[in-house]
């Protein structure tokens, strides 16, 4: 069986939009942990448009934050057709709907209306929806191999650009990896595809050779694979990738949700992650589902585990929790669900408290995946419930 996943670099227009939205969220959470944020970014040739609903006690300079992210990523006057300093930034922000807030908020307030104590146990879900979490034993990160390789290739592509190890690269880029499986086990790398934005004078043949030696081979080697005689390597298949970034394509927050999660190996509930504060279960519920699935696999209750959680707006308790171990469970899926319900409290307020989600930690995951990022010490990646799951209490 062949399975393919893709990733994109931090300079891809959609990912740039995600990073701006999450940088705005981080800036608010830094001073106002209870701030409510639903922030969307649109990028196109010469303009960055930020819109959404934000309710907060703090002030942030949204245009300044957006420009800072654009500059950090690499659109900084280097001929890419989009520039942090000269491109326009438009802002259209309003408060969160009171109809949503009345179902989500749960707190005790003083006579002057200031929150003195929040009741996290009764915090309602910030929206309806269904979220999936997934884990498997294909990689040390307990993630599917194709998406891990795709992410690491894009990270490496950005690294060699910034360090000028490979000269003439620009910020936009994509990767795609096809892995050959035998009875569910990764056996070899079938195809690697890179799209790397470059300056006009870069020759396609020399660029392919450099990226193969300095990007592709080191990443495959790290995970115990190599290019064999049948492996297909493609770099910039149109022969030229000069016009890219927001000059070439419009970018939108939330348009890379499969890149953000499991590369298509698991199902997805459809809700985007970036730009949303953790009261939105599209974010906190998705992180909790990964936390649960990873602990189930780490506890060796299954080789693969997909967890689904569903919520209704304003109601704390999940409407449903289900598990699919694809026939790899050491006990039945029904028994695993029973253990999960005993060990994990999946009410949004408790998830926020257990995983300490009201912190400015989100821009760092807005590119190269929200899961399997062991170097970031993310709370939903901790396997701290193994013993409890084994005991089931």
């Amino acid at each position: 069986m062949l399975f393919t996943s893709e990733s994109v670099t931090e300079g891809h227009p959609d990912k740039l939009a995600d990073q701006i939205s999450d940088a705005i969220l981080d800036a608010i959470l830094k001073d106002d942990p209870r701030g409510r944020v639903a922030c969307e970014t649109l990028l196109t040739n010469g303009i960055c448009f930020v819109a959404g609903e934000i309710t907060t006690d703090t002030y942030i300079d949204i245009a300044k934050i957006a420009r800072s992210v654009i500059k950090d990523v690499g659109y900084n006057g280097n001929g890419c057709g989009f520039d942090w300093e000269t491109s326009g930034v438009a802002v259209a922000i309003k408060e969160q709907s009171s109809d949503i807030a009345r179902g989500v908020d749960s707190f005790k307030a003083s006579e002057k209306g200031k929150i003195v104590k929040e009741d996290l146990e009764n915090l309602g879900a910030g929206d309806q929806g269904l979220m999936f979490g997934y884990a498997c034993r294909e990689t040390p990160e307990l993630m599917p191999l194709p998406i891990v390789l795709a992410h690491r290739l894009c990270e490496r592509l950005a690294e060699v650009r910034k360090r000028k190890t490979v000269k003439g690269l620009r910020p936009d880029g994509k990767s795609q990896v096809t892995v050959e499986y035998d009875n569910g086990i990764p056996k070899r790398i079938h195809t690697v595809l890179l799209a790397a934005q470059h300056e006009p004078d870069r020759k396609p043949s020399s660029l392919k050779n450099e990226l193969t030696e300095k990007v592709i081979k080191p990443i495959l080697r790290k995970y115990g694979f190599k290019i064999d005689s049948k492996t297909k390597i493609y770099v910039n298949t149109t022969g030229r990738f000069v016009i890219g970034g927001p000059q070439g394509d419009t970018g939108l927050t939330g348009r890379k949700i499969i890149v953000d999660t499991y590369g298509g190996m698991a199902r997805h509930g459809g809700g985007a992650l970036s730009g949303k504060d953790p009261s939105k279960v599209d974010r906190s519920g998705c992180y909790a589902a990964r936390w649960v699935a990873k602990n189930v696999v780490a506890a060796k209750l299954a080789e693969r585990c997909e967890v689904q959680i569903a919520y209704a707006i304003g109601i704390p308790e999940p409407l449903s929790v289900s598990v699919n171990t694809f026939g790899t469970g050491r006990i039945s899926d029904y028994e695993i669900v029973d253990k999960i319900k005993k060990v994990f409290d999946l009410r949004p307020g408790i998830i926020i408290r257990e995983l300490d989600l009201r912190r400015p930690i989100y821009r760092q995951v807005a590119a190269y995946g929200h899961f399997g990022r062991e170097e970031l010490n993310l709370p939903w990646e901790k396997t701290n419930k193994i013993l409890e799951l084994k005991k089931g209490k």
Side-chain angles (χ1 to χ4, degrees):
M1 185 190 81
L2 302 179
F3 193 88
T4 302
S5 294
E6 71 159 354
S7 183
V8 297
T9 66
E10 62 207 60
H12 186 280
D14 293 329
K15 269 289 140 227
L16 185 56
D18 284 341
Q19 290 169 90
I20 291 170
S21 292
D22 273 338
I24 291 167
L25 171 64
D26 280 352
I28 290 171
L29 292 180
K30 182 179 178 181
D31 294 326
D32 181 12
R34 295 191 184 99
R36 293 288 163 77
V37 180
C39 180
E40 313 289 344
T41 303
L42 179 148
L43 295 156
T44 189
N45 193 19
I47 185 75
C48 169
F49 197 102
V50 181
E53 298 76 47
I54 296 177
T55 303
T56 181
D57 291 334
T58 191
Y59 169 79
I60 61 168
D61 188 333
I62 290 176
K64 184 177 180 179
I65 292 168
R67 292 186 187 281
S68 176
V69 173
I70 295 166
K71 182 181 180 182
D72 288 347
V73 167
Y75 292 101
N76 48 17
N78 52 7
C80 293
F82 187 81
D83 182 70
W84 72 278
E85 200 167 23
T86 59
S87 295
V89 179
V91 179
I93 296 292
K94 59 183 181 296
E95 288 188 344
Q96 181 188 60
S97 164
S98 58
D99 291 343
I100 295 175
R102 70 190 297 269
V104 177
D105 293 334
S106 182
F107 54 81
K108 295 179 181 179
S110 66
E111 292 182 359
K112 295 182 179 181
K114 184 174 179 62
I115 296 174
V116 293
K117 184 178 180 181
E118 190 172 35
D119 183 5
L120 286 176
E121 292 187 359
N122 293 305
L123 185 78
D127 201 351
Q128 70 177 55
L130 50 138
M131 298 84 219
F132 287 92
Y134 184 80
C136 63
R137 305 199 71 85
E138 291 182 18
T139 62
E141 301 93 333
L142 300 186
M143 286 284 288
L145 179 65
I147 188 64
V148 169
L149 290 177
H151 282 323
R152 300 297 85 81
L153 286 169
C154 279
E155 282 183 313
R156 179 67 178 164
L157 186 58
E159 181 184 348
V160 298
R161 168 178 64 87
K162 292 175 181 178
R163 293 184 176 182
K164 300 188 184 303
T165 306
V166 177
K167 295 182 179 179
L169 292 177
R170 289 177 171 177
D172 200 355
K174 301 177 77 172
S175 70
Q176 189 168 289
V177 178
T178 301
V179 175
E180 184 179 313
Y181 287 80
D182 185 6
N183 292 320
I185 299 172
K187 289 298 183 182
R188 58 180 293 272
I189 306 304
H190 182 275
T191 303
V192 178
L193 169 64
L194 286 183
Q197 188 187 15
H198 59 86
E199 294 177 357
D201 58 353
R202 279 293 335 220
K203 293 183 179 179
S205 58
S206 65
L207 183 60
K208 179 179 179 179
N209 291 336
E210 278 195 80
L211 293 180
T212 300
E213 293 298 323
K214 297 178 181 179
V215 175
I216 297 173
K217 286 184 178 180
I219 296 301
L220 297 188
R221 191 181 308 119
K222 179 180 177 181
Y223 284 87
F225 293 90
K226 62 181 180 180
I227 297 172
D228 61 36
S229 59
K230 295 182 179 180
T231 302
K232 300 175 183 178
I233 303 295
Y234 297 109
V235 175
N236 291 347
T237 51
T238 68
R240 179 180 171 90
F241 184 12
V242 174
I243 299 172
Q247 183 189 25
D249 291 292
T250 298
L252 291 169
T253 298
R255 214 159 51 173
K256 285 291 177 284
I257 57 177
I258 302 303
V259 170
D260 286 339
T261 52
Y262 307 101
M265 188 69 79
R267 288 174 287 187
H268 197 292
L273 291 158
S274 290
K276 299 175 182 177
D277 75 84
S279 75
K280 278 74 171 174
V281 284
D282 277 341
R283 180 151 232 159
S284 54
C286 198
Y287 292 157
R290 163 64 176 173
W291 184 37
V292 172
K294 187 173 183 181
N295 275 271
V296 168
V297 171
K300 298 184 178 179
L301 298 180
E303 294 294 303
R304 297 169 60 199
C305 181
E306 182 185 75
V307 175
Q308 186 203 56
I309 312 171
Y311 293 93
I313 190 168
I315 298 176
E317 294 78 12
L319 300 184
S320 66
V321 178
S322 63
V323 162
N324 186 352
T325 60
F326 309 93
T328 69
R330 297 193 176 184
I331 57 178
S332 71
D333 290 355
Y334 175 84
E335 290 174 287
I336 292 175
V337 169
D338 188 54
K339 286 177 177 286
I340 289 169
K341 289 181 176 180
K342 290 177 180 177
V343 173
F344 294 92
D345 190 333
L346 296 174
R347 290 175 289 176
I350 306 305
I351 294 170
I352 289 170
R353 185 174 68 195
E354 287 288 308
L355 298 181
D356 195 13
L357 295 180
R358 285 177 167 167
R359 296 179 289 146
I361 58 174
Y362 297 110
R363 185 194 161 187
Q364 62 184 341
V365 294
Y368 310 121
H370 292 245
F371 306 121
R373 306 287 299 279
E374 293 184 337
E375 75 281 7
L376 300 180
N377 194 31
L378 300 168
W380 53 87
E381 292 295 315
K382 295 184 183 299
T383 51
N384 55 351
K385 298 290 185 179
I386 294 175
L387 293 179
E388 292 174 72
L389 279 170
K390 287 181 176 180
K391 295 176 181 178
K393 58 183 181 180

